[in-house]
Amino acid sequence: MSGVRLTFDRGTLLLDAPPGVAVLAETGVLTWDSRVGLWRAKACEYAAVTSGLSGRGVRFSDDVRPATGHSARLPDLDAPVLRPYQDAALTAWESQACRGVVALPTGSGKTRIAIAAIARARARTLVLVPTRVLLEQWEVELKAAARSPIGKLGDGVRVIESITVATYESAFRTMAELGNAFDLLVVDETHHFGNGVRDEALEMCIAPMRLGLTATPSNGLAWERVTRLVGPTVFQLAIGDLIGTWLAGLDMATVNLDLTPAERADYERWMHDFRNVTGLLRAALGSASSWKEMTKAAARSVDGRRALAAFRDAQRLLALTDAKRATVERLLAKHRDNKVLVFTADNESAYAIARGMLVMPITCDIGRKERKSVLARFRSGELRTLVSSRVLNEGIDVPDADVAILVGAALGEREYVQRIGRLLRPAEGKRALVYELVTRDTLEIRRIKKRRDGLVAGNPVAPQT
């Protein structure tokens, strides 16, 4: 077969070949596009298309990659020295044809593994990150290791180099143009993908090598999609595997608290209203119905919506009870010489603690420059306590904290692991201390064991409800 040509077209592959050649359809990823009279496939199927064609004896011209510009250069950077488990993770990824997810706790050096992977692969690389804060952190880390320029897509900057860092959103917007420019795709915080939102950014990139990084792998249909787009989990350790050796030691204290009589009356009333309706819904939907299915059904009726509102009221009450407020105050006084992170379920609770105890809040309302200044003051010791709802959960490098107070009531396993991981970056003689405030005879009690499973080796984090 002569004159067969493979090209890149706005996030897809086009193969110029006769329509009646059945062997092309047998690749499993090429389909005939009658609109343009060519065979088409997703860009992420580049390796499958080329190997499929070669394996079937089809001679073709591969014109997918651009021949000049940034994409013609190879990255030049120093490979960092890896800890034994980091080297094992990289070896496991390489043994799976450089495709797959490495799951390691916060503070264990996933970025270092990725930099070593880029150095060893010597491949044009695109690093995807969920936030502008992580965009900046990755840029700093890569510049420290690289002898060639580092590109950046996001935060108002558009500079493409052989190693480029991009936010998910910026990558999604430009992948139709740049999806053929990279051979290695590093996906930080991979658990954000798999639910359809921005998954196209992964589909529109030809990169055959793909490295996913996460502290909290999941399961279910969303993770199956991640496996197809990035690769399977090739290496996984939990916090429990590294504590005391490669991460700081950890002590956990559960502080059991009671509701006041007035709080108990409100809580029981709201939960009674909630259970009355949801009990009927679960009976109708079946005991195996998910929380998402149940809430969707509840939202269709007036009584169901009232039940969901009652549940939210109960959650809001548990977020910062009178006993929790008093306990936080006592613990902050006890640990006035430590660096303390206080985690809440919502911004309302974070601001209430900030106002009542004169500590600095870090929320989504705090601008980037102010947040950077606050973290610098925390690092220097000028500030010794920060309170946050979710901003510090993921990505932000929190320096030197050694005590955490988990106040929030609505934590899922993923948030739980991320918050504890904020304290575990190792330091000489460091032993972290986590207080978990739990209200007796409420939903919080039943959630403790489920959340702590995420800290145990071999236990991937389940999807949150």
Side-chain angles (χ1 to χ4, degrees), residues 214-232:
T214 182
T216 52
S218 187
N219 52 35
L221 293 176
W223 196 251
E224 288 179 12
R225 185 168 174 80
V226 168
T227 297
R228 291 195 299 272
L229 291 172
V230 180

mmCIF file with all atom_site columns, all heavy atoms in Angstrom, residues 214-232:
data_model
loop_
_atom_site.group_PDB
_atom_site.id
_atom_site.type_symbol
_atom_site.label_atom_id
_atom_site.label_alt_id
_atom_site.label_comp_id
_atom_site.label_asym_id
_atom_site.label_entity_id
_atom_site.label_seq_id
_atom_site.pdbx_PDB_ins_code
_atom_site.Cartn_x
_atom_site.Cartn_y
_atom_site.Cartn_z
_atom_site.occupancy
_atom_site.B_iso_or_equiv
_atom_site.pdbx_formal_charge
_atom_site.auth_seq_id
_atom_site.auth_comp_id
_atom_site.auth_asym_id
_atom_site.auth_atom_id
_atom_site.pdbx_PDB_model_num
ATOM 1   N N   . THR A 1 214 ? -0.167  10.594 42.251 1.00 0.00 ? 214 THR A N   1
ATOM 2   C CA  . THR A 1 214 ? -1.245  10.884 43.188 1.00 0.00 ? 214 THR A CA  1
ATOM 3   C C   . THR A 1 214 ? -0.900  10.345 44.564 1.00 0.00 ? 214 THR A C   1
ATOM 4   O O   . THR A 1 214 ? -0.136  9.372  44.685 1.00 0.00 ? 214 THR A O   1
ATOM 5   C CB  . THR A 1 214 ? -2.582  10.282 42.706 1.00 0.00 ? 214 THR A CB  1
ATOM 6   O OG1 . THR A 1 214 ? -3.627  10.640 43.625 1.00 0.00 ? 214 THR A OG1 1
ATOM 7   C CG2 . THR A 1 214 ? -2.509  8.764  42.634 1.00 0.00 ? 214 THR A CG2 1
ATOM 8   N N   . ALA A 1 215 ? -1.447  10.984 45.588 1.00 0.00 ? 215 ALA A N   1
ATOM 9   C CA  . ALA A 1 215 ? -1.349  10.442 46.941 1.00 0.00 ? 215 ALA A CA  1
ATOM 10  C C   . ALA A 1 215 ? -2.568  9.603  47.273 1.00 0.00 ? 215 ALA A C   1
ATOM 11  O O   . ALA A 1 215 ? -2.564  8.841  48.235 1.00 0.00 ? 215 ALA A O   1
ATOM 12  C CB  . ALA A 1 215 ? -1.213  11.581 47.961 1.00 0.00 ? 215 ALA A CB  1
ATOM 13  N N   . THR A 1 216 ? -3.608  9.740  46.458 1.00 0.00 ? 216 THR A N   1
ATOM 14  C CA  . THR A 1 216 ? -4.893  9.118  46.798 1.00 0.00 ? 216 THR A CA  1
ATOM 15  C C   . THR A 1 216 ? -5.519  8.466  45.573 1.00 0.00 ? 216 THR A C   1
ATOM 16  O O   . THR A 1 216 ? -6.448  9.017  44.968 1.00 0.00 ? 216 THR A O   1
ATOM 17  C CB  . THR A 1 216 ? -5.862  10.181 47.374 1.00 0.00 ? 216 THR A CB  1
ATOM 18  O OG1 . THR A 1 216 ? -5.920  11.293 46.463 1.00 0.00 ? 216 THR A OG1 1
ATOM 19  C CG2 . THR A 1 216 ? -5.400  10.657 48.725 1.00 0.00 ? 216 THR A CG2 1
ATOM 20  N N   . PRO A 1 217 ? -5.031  7.296  45.162 1.00 0.00 ? 217 PRO A N   1
ATOM 21  C CA  . PRO A 1 217 ? -5.684  6.600  44.053 1.00 0.00 ? 217 PRO A CA  1
ATOM 22  C C   . PRO A 1 217 ? -7.089  6.187  44.445 1.00 0.00 ? 217 PRO A C   1
ATOM 23  O O   . PRO A 1 217 ? -7.411  6.065  45.627 1.00 0.00 ? 217 PRO A O   1
ATOM 24  C CB  . PRO A 1 217 ? -4.790  5.370  43.830 1.00 0.00 ? 217 PRO A CB  1
ATOM 25  C CG  . PRO A 1 217 ? -4.153  5.138  45.146 1.00 0.00 ? 217 PRO A CG  1
ATOM 26  C CD  . PRO A 1 217 ? -3.949  6.503  45.752 1.00 0.00 ? 217 PRO A CD  1
ATOM 27  N N   . SER A 1 218 ? -7.917  5.953  43.453 1.00 0.00 ? 218 SER A N   1
ATOM 28  C CA  . SER A 1 218 ? -9.308  5.632  43.716 1.00 0.00 ? 218 SER A CA  1
ATOM 29  C C   . SER A 1 218 ? -9.628  4.282  43.098 1.00 0.00 ? 218 SER A C   1
ATOM 30  O O   . SER A 1 218 ? -8.734  3.480  42.788 1.00 0.00 ? 218 SER A O   1
ATOM 31  C CB  . SER A 1 218 ? -10.206 6.735  43.146 1.00 0.00 ? 218 SER A CB  1
ATOM 32  O OG  . SER A 1 218 ? -11.542 6.553  43.518 1.00 0.00 ? 218 SER A OG  1
ATOM 33  N N   . ASN A 1 219 ? -10.897 4.012  42.911 1.00 0.00 ? 219 ASN A N   1
ATOM 34  C CA  . ASN A 1 219 ? -11.327 2.826  42.175 1.00 0.00 ? 219 ASN A CA  1
ATOM 35  C C   . ASN A 1 219 ? -12.660 3.159  41.502 1.00 0.00 ? 219 ASN A C   1
ATOM 36  O O   . ASN A 1 219 ? -13.091 4.297  41.513 1.00 0.00 ? 219 ASN A O   1
ATOM 37  C CB  . ASN A 1 219 ? -11.435 1.602  43.109 1.00 0.00 ? 219 ASN A CB  1
ATOM 38  C CG  . ASN A 1 219 ? -12.283 1.891  44.333 1.00 0.00 ? 219 ASN A CG  1
ATOM 39  O OD1 . ASN A 1 219 ? -13.262 2.625  44.271 1.00 0.00 ? 219 ASN A OD1 1
ATOM 40  N ND2 . ASN A 1 219 ? -11.897 1.311  45.461 1.00 0.00 ? 219 ASN A ND2 1
ATOM 41  N N   . GLY A 1 220 ? -13.288 2.167  40.906 1.00 0.00 ? 220 GLY A N   1
ATOM 42  C CA  . GLY A 1 220 ? -14.554 2.419  40.227 1.00 0.00 ? 220 GLY A CA  1
ATOM 43  C C   . GLY A 1 220 ? -14.374 2.832  38.782 1.00 0.00 ? 220 GLY A C   1
ATOM 44  O O   . GLY A 1 220 ? -13.277 2.776  38.214 1.00 0.00 ? 220 GLY A O   1
ATOM 45  N N   . LEU A 1 221 ? -15.468 3.288  38.190 1.00 0.00 ? 221 LEU A N   1
ATOM 46  C CA  . LEU A 1 221 ? -15.465 3.592  36.761 1.00 0.00 ? 221 LEU A CA  1
ATOM 47  C C   . LEU A 1 221 ? -14.528 4.741  36.404 1.00 0.00 ? 221 LEU A C   1
ATOM 48  O O   . LEU A 1 221 ? -13.874 4.720  35.363 1.00 0.00 ? 221 LEU A O   1
ATOM 49  C CB  . LEU A 1 221 ? -16.895 3.926  36.309 1.00 0.00 ? 221 LEU A CB  1
ATOM 50  C CG  . LEU A 1 221 ? -17.898 2.772  36.360 1.00 0.00 ? 221 LEU A CG  1
ATOM 51  C CD1 . LEU A 1 221 ? -19.289 3.257  35.980 1.00 0.00 ? 221 LEU A CD1 1
ATOM 52  C CD2 . LEU A 1 221 ? -17.457 1.635  35.441 1.00 0.00 ? 221 LEU A CD2 1
ATOM 53  N N   . ALA A 1 222 ? -14.471 5.763  37.267 1.00 0.00 ? 222 ALA A N   1
ATOM 54  C CA  . ALA A 1 222 ? -13.596 6.905  36.972 1.00 0.00 ? 222 ALA A CA  1
ATOM 55  C C   . ALA A 1 222 ? -12.139 6.465  36.921 1.00 0.00 ? 222 ALA A C   1
ATOM 56  O O   . ALA A 1 222 ? -11.380 6.873  36.045 1.00 0.00 ? 222 ALA A O   1
ATOM 57  C CB  . ALA A 1 222 ? -13.785 8.000  38.020 1.00 0.00 ? 222 ALA A CB  1
ATOM 58  N N   . TRP A 1 223 ? -11.741 5.609  37.852 1.00 0.00 ? 223 TRP A N   1
ATOM 59  C CA  . TRP A 1 223 ? -10.349 5.168  37.861 1.00 0.00 ? 223 TRP A CA  1
ATOM 60  C C   . TRP A 1 223 ? -10.053 4.230  36.695 1.00 0.00 ? 223 TRP A C   1
ATOM 61  O O   . TRP A 1 223 ? -8.928  4.193  36.189 1.00 0.00 ? 223 TRP A O   1
ATOM 62  C CB  . TRP A 1 223 ? -10.007 4.505  39.181 1.00 0.00 ? 223 TRP A CB  1
ATOM 63  C CG  . TRP A 1 223 ? -8.526  4.396  39.388 1.00 0.00 ? 223 TRP A CG  1
ATOM 64  C CD1 . TRP A 1 223 ? -7.773  3.272  39.345 1.00 0.00 ? 223 TRP A CD1 1
ATOM 65  C CD2 . TRP A 1 223 ? -7.615  5.469  39.641 1.00 0.00 ? 223 TRP A CD2 1
ATOM 66  N NE1 . TRP A 1 223 ? -6.448  3.571  39.561 1.00 0.00 ? 223 TRP A NE1 1
ATOM 67  C CE2 . TRP A 1 223 ? -6.316  4.909  39.747 1.00 0.00 ? 223 TRP A CE2 1
ATOM 68  C CE3 . TRP A 1 223 ? -7.767  6.851  39.790 1.00 0.00 ? 223 TRP A CE3 1
ATOM 69  C CZ2 . TRP A 1 223 ? -5.186  5.688  39.997 1.00 0.00 ? 223 TRP A CZ2 1
ATOM 70  C CZ3 . TRP A 1 223 ? -6.637  7.624  40.034 1.00 0.00 ? 223 TRP A CZ3 1
ATOM 71  C CH2 . TRP A 1 223 ? -5.369  7.038  40.138 1.00 0.00 ? 223 TRP A CH2 1
ATOM 72  N N   . GLU A 1 224 ? -11.047 3.482  36.261 1.00 0.00 ? 224 GLU A N   1
ATOM 73  C CA  . GLU A 1 224 ? -10.863 2.652  35.061 1.00 0.00 ? 224 GLU A CA  1
ATOM 74  C C   . GLU A 1 224 ? -10.541 3.525  33.857 1.00 0.00 ? 224 GLU A C   1
ATOM 75  O O   . GLU A 1 224 ? -9.715  3.165  33.016 1.00 0.00 ? 224 GLU A O   1
ATOM 76  C CB  . GLU A 1 224 ? -12.122 1.824  34.796 1.00 0.00 ? 224 GLU A CB  1
ATOM 77  C CG  . GLU A 1 224 ? -12.338 0.685  35.781 1.00 0.00 ? 224 GLU A CG  1
ATOM 78  C CD  . GLU A 1 224 ? -13.611 -0.083 35.493 1.00 0.00 ? 224 GLU A CD  1
ATOM 79  O OE1 . GLU A 1 224 ? -14.203 0.132  34.403 1.00 0.00 ? 224 GLU A OE1 1
ATOM 80  O OE2 . GLU A 1 224 ? -14.030 -0.879 36.341 1.00 0.00 ? 224 GLU A OE2 1
ATOM 81  N N   . ARG A 1 225 ? -11.191 4.682  33.786 1.00 0.00 ? 225 ARG A N   1
ATOM 82  C CA  . ARG A 1 225 ? -10.912 5.598  32.682 1.00 0.00 ? 225 ARG A CA  1
ATOM 83  C C   . ARG A 1 225 ? -9.504  6.181  32.807 1.00 0.00 ? 225 ARG A C   1
ATOM 84  O O   . ARG A 1 225 ? -8.787  6.336  31.809 1.00 0.00 ? 225 ARG A O   1
ATOM 85  C CB  . ARG A 1 225 ? -11.955 6.717  32.671 1.00 0.00 ? 225 ARG A CB  1
ATOM 86  C CG  . ARG A 1 225 ? -11.825 7.674  31.489 1.00 0.00 ? 225 ARG A CG  1
ATOM 87  C CD  . ARG A 1 225 ? -13.050 8.558  31.374 1.00 0.00 ? 225 ARG A CD  1
ATOM 88  N NE  . ARG A 1 225 ? -12.898 9.562  30.357 1.00 0.00 ? 225 ARG A NE  1
ATOM 89  C CZ  . ARG A 1 225 ? -13.058 9.362  29.055 1.00 0.00 ? 225 ARG A CZ  1
ATOM 90  N NH1 . ARG A 1 225 ? -13.376 8.154  28.621 1.00 0.00 ? 225 ARG A NH1 1
ATOM 91  N NH2 . ARG A 1 225 ? -12.911 10.332 28.190 1.00 0.00 ? 225 ARG A NH2 1
ATOM 92  N N   . VAL A 1 226 ? -9.090  6.506  34.031 1.00 0.00 ? 226 VAL A N   1
ATOM 93  C CA  . VAL A 1 226 ? -7.719  6.961  34.250 1.00 0.00 ? 226 VAL A CA  1
ATOM 94  C C   . VAL A 1 226 ? -6.731  5.897  33.792 1.00 0.00 ? 226 VAL A C   1
ATOM 95  O O   . VAL A 1 226 ? -5.716  6.186  33.147 1.00 0.00 ? 226 VAL A O   1
ATOM 96  C CB  . VAL A 1 226 ? -7.492  7.297  35.742 1.00 0.00 ? 226 VAL A CB  1
ATOM 97  C CG1 . VAL A 1 226 ? -6.002  7.494  36.031 1.00 0.00 ? 226 VAL A CG1 1
ATOM 98  C CG2 . VAL A 1 226 ? -8.261  8.552  36.133 1.00 0.00 ? 226 VAL A CG2 1
ATOM 99  N N   . THR A 1 227 ? -7.025  4.639  34.097 1.00 0.00 ? 227 THR A N   1
ATOM 100 C CA  . THR A 1 227 ? -6.153  3.534  33.694 1.00 0.00 ? 227 THR A CA  1
ATOM 101 C C   . THR A 1 227 ? -6.022  3.464  32.182 1.00 0.00 ? 227 THR A C   1
ATOM 102 O O   . THR A 1 227 ? -4.939  3.209  31.650 1.00 0.00 ? 227 THR A O   1
ATOM 103 C CB  . THR A 1 227 ? -6.696  2.205  34.245 1.00 0.00 ? 227 THR A CB  1
ATOM 104 O OG1 . THR A 1 227 ? -6.683  2.258  35.679 1.00 0.00 ? 227 THR A OG1 1
ATOM 105 C CG2 . THR A 1 227 ? -5.861  1.030  33.780 1.00 0.00 ? 227 THR A CG2 1
ATOM 106 N N   . ARG A 1 228 ? -7.114  3.704  31.467 1.00 0.00 ? 228 ARG A N   1
ATOM 107 C CA  . ARG A 1 228 ? -7.050  3.669  30.005 1.00 0.00 ? 228 ARG A CA  1
ATOM 108 C C   . ARG A 1 228 ? -6.244  4.843  29.454 1.00 0.00 ? 228 ARG A C   1
ATOM 109 O O   . ARG A 1 228 ? -5.527  4.702  28.471 1.00 0.00 ? 228 ARG A O   1
ATOM 110 C CB  . ARG A 1 228 ? -8.463  3.685  29.408 1.00 0.00 ? 228 ARG A CB  1
ATOM 111 C CG  . ARG A 1 228 ? -9.254  2.405  29.645 1.00 0.00 ? 228 ARG A CG  1
ATOM 112 C CD  . ARG A 1 228 ? -10.462 2.327  28.744 1.00 0.00 ? 228 ARG A CD  1
ATOM 113 N NE  . ARG A 1 228 ? -11.399 3.423  28.950 1.00 0.00 ? 228 ARG A NE  1
ATOM 114 C CZ  . ARG A 1 228 ? -12.386 3.406  29.832 1.00 0.00 ? 228 ARG A CZ  1
ATOM 115 N NH1 . ARG A 1 228 ? -12.565 2.344  30.596 1.00 0.00 ? 228 ARG A NH1 1
ATOM 116 N NH2 . ARG A 1 228 ? -13.199 4.437  29.965 1.00 0.00 ? 228 ARG A NH2 1
ATOM 117 N N   . LEU A 1 229 ? -6.370  6.006  30.086 1.00 0.00 ? 229 LEU A N   1
ATOM 118 C CA  . LEU A 1 229 ? -5.755  7.213  29.546 1.00 0.00 ? 229 LEU A CA  1
ATOM 119 C C   . LEU A 1 229 ? -4.316  7.431  30.028 1.00 0.00 ? 229 LEU A C   1
ATOM 120 O O   . LEU A 1 229 ? -3.521  8.087  29.343 1.00 0.00 ? 229 LEU A O   1
ATOM 121 C CB  . LEU A 1 229 ? -6.596  8.438  29.911 1.00 0.00 ? 229 LEU A CB  1
ATOM 122 C CG  . LEU A 1 229 ? -7.960  8.535  29.230 1.00 0.00 ? 229 LEU A CG  1
ATOM 123 C CD1 . LEU A 1 229 ? -8.769  9.684  29.808 1.00 0.00 ? 229 LEU A CD1 1
ATOM 124 C CD2 . LEU A 1 229 ? -7.801  8.710  27.728 1.00 0.00 ? 229 LEU A CD2 1
ATOM 125 N N   . VAL A 1 230 ? -3.973  6.928  31.206 1.00 0.00 ? 230 VAL A N   1
ATOM 126 C CA  . VAL A 1 230 ? -2.638  7.141  31.769 1.00 0.00 ? 230 VAL A CA  1
ATOM 127 C C   . VAL A 1 230 ? -1.904  5.820  31.963 1.00 0.00 ? 230 VAL A C   1
ATOM 128 O O   . VAL A 1 230 ? -0.712  5.716  31.701 1.00 0.00 ? 230 VAL A O   1
ATOM 129 C CB  . VAL A 1 230 ? -2.724  7.910  33.111 1.00 0.00 ? 230 VAL A CB  1
ATOM 130 C CG1 . VAL A 1 230 ? -1.326  8.134  33.690 1.00 0.00 ? 230 VAL A CG1 1
ATOM 131 C CG2 . VAL A 1 230 ? -3.444  9.239  32.928 1.00 0.00 ? 230 VAL A CG2 1
ATOM 132 N N   . GLY A 1 231 ? -2.613  4.823  32.414 1.00 0.00 ? 231 GLY A N   1
ATOM 133 C CA  . GLY A 1 231 ? -2.020  3.522  32.687 1.00 0.00 ? 231 GLY A CA  1
ATOM 134 C C   . GLY A 1 231 ? -2.427  3.030  34.057 1.00 0.00 ? 231 GLY A C   1
ATOM 135 O O   . GLY A 1 231 ? -2.990  3.777  34.864 1.00 0.00 ? 231 GLY A O   1
ATOM 136 N N   . PRO A 1 232 ? -2.148  1.775  34.382 1.00 0.00 ? 232 PRO A N   1
ATOM 137 C CA  . PRO A 1 232 ? -2.537  1.212  35.673 1.00 0.00 ? 232 PRO A CA  1
ATOM 138 C C   . PRO A 1 232 ? -1.647  1.739  36.797 1.00 0.00 ? 232 PRO A C   1
ATOM 139 O O   . PRO A 1 232 ? -0.600  2.344  36.551 1.00 0.00 ? 232 PRO A O   1
ATOM 140 C CB  . PRO A 1 232 ? -2.323  -0.291 35.466 1.00 0.00 ? 232 PRO A CB  1
ATOM 141 C CG  . PRO A 1 232 ? -1.210  -0.353 34.463 1.00 0.00 ? 232 PRO A CG  1
ATOM 142 C CD  . PRO A 1 232 ? -1.432  0.801  33.537 1.00 0.00 ? 232 PRO A CD  1
#
